[in-house]
Amino acid sequence: MLTKRIIPCLDIKNGRTVKGVNFVNLIDAGDPIVLAKQYADLGADELVFLDIAATLENRGTTLDMVLKVAQQVNIPFTVGGGISSVAHVNALLKCGADKVSINSSAVKRPELINELSEKFGSQCVVVAIDAKQVDGEWLVHLAGGTIPTAINLFDWAKEVEQRGAGEILFTSMNHDGTKAGFANKALGKLATEVNIPIIASGGAGSVQHFIDTFVEGKSDAALAASVFHFGEIPIPDLKQALKNNNIPIRL
């Protein structure tokens, strides 16, 4: 059985790690380079580094910071934010990224998923999906959650798998930053709709929430930010608790 993964997420704006609630009211959470090394040392399985302002500011992810973070870690490292071309991905991989995460650019031009998976392999391509439950339907949102669409989460997830995505990073905007638990019902449905790994994001607030998303949500990995950034859940303690609950995890 594949082990489940714990993934700290570093949302970057103006060179600093930030964290908000429901995608707004951002507060400073520290230096991303320091945090990246700290998480690698503490036993995180992977890192996700998202330049959250890149799409809104119509630019690519800052290569210099990617290089600095990559020099500090020895675990798989995913980079996202404003990625829209094969050339940009090539530059990010040369700076040390292991995978890339695409979101708005994939919705606007779905062929990008095909192009990246054909050039770099599906294992390199993570499609991030930010979705919000509106009147009972999960709808995809773009540009850091600021632009709603009429695209159904589950339909889009199936399409990105068919186009060659290797993983899906699903963030529930309803749950983001609330610390009330992951969107396990939606995650469980996603797990039955697609055959690629699903990373759960949005809502982590306790150790039990991680247990629940692996069991009820059938998630392959769980991503969180503030509970790690502010020391509320130490990663070694979390992983031991998961092991104690018979969840396969790498200690």
Side-chain angles (χ1 to χ4, degrees):
M1 182 182 290
L2 290 175
T3 56
K4 304 296 187 178
R5 292 169 287 147
I6 298 300
I7 307 176
C9 180
L10 295 100
D11 291 327
I12 311 300
K13 188 173 184 180
N14 299 325
R16 297 289 292 179
T17 307
V18 295
K19 185 57 194 154
V21 176
N22 303 131
F23 283 42
V24 295
N25 300 323
L26 301 178
I27 60 172
D28 189 275
D31 183 326
I33 297 157
V34 172
L35 285 172
K37 185 177 190 313
Q38 177 181 315
Y39 291 140
D41 291 345
L42 286 171
D45 298 296
E46 297 185 17
L47 290 173
V48 167
F49 167 42
L50 299 176
D51 188 337
I52 62 172
T55 297
L56 285 171
E57 295 173 4
N58 195 31
R59 60 171 173 79
T61 303
T62 306
L63 295 177
D64 182 56
M65 183 168 290
V66 174
L67 182 63
K68 289 178 179 176
V69 172
Q71 289 170 343
Q72 296 295 323
V73 304
N74 57 357
I75 55 176
F77 175 36
T78 301
V79 179
I83 296 169
S84 60
S85 70
V86 167
H88 190 194
V89 172
N90 197 44
L92 289 167
L93 297 179
K94 284 183 176 178
C95 284
D98 297 284
K99 307 182 217 179
V100 294
S101 171
I102 54 175
N103 190 333
S104 301
S105 58
V107 176
K108 293 173 183 175
R109 195 172 71 83
E111 297 81 9
L112 178 64
I113 304 169
N114 303 71
E115 293 166 6
L116 297 181
S117 65
E118 287 165 12
K119 175 72 174 177
F120 304 106
S122 61
Q123 81 289 339
C124 178
V125 183
V126 180
V127 173
I129 306 176
D130 299 331
K132 188 174 186 179
Q133 194 169 29
V134 181
D135 297 327
E137 183 179 7
W138 285 96
L139 298 177
V140 175
H141 284 57
L142 308 182
T146 61
I147 301 174
T149 76
I151 301 168
N152 176 273
L153 162 66
F154 305 102
D155 292 341
W156 178 230
K158 285 185 275 191
E159 180 175 346
V160 305
E161 178 183 25
Q162 291 164 358
R163 288 183 176 276
E167 283 185 288
I168 290 171
L169 167 55
F170 164 51
T171 300
S172 164
M173 293 176 61
N174 304 78
H175 295 71
D176 177 69
T178 64
K179 299 185 182 179
F182 294 94
N184 292 321
K185 192 172 290 186
L187 285 159
K189 184 177 179 181
L190 269 178
T192 65
E193 299 272 342
V194 300
N195 297 304
I196 55 177
I198 304 292
I199 304 169
S201 170
S206 71
V207 169
Q208 188 63 46
H209 291 156
F210 287 88
I211 296 169
D212 291 344
T213 202
F214 290 133
V215 176
E216 297 169 21
K218 301 181 177 65
S219 302
D220 298 279
L223 178 146
S226 58
V227 293
F228 297 143
H229 298 338
F230 303 120
E232 296 163 33
I233 302 178
I235 291 174
D237 295 356
L238 170 60
K239 294 186 108 176
Q240 187 60 55
L242 291 169
K243 184 177 175 62
N244 293 345
N245 280 271
N246 299 313
I247 292 169
I249 197 82
R250 181 181 64 83
L251 292 178

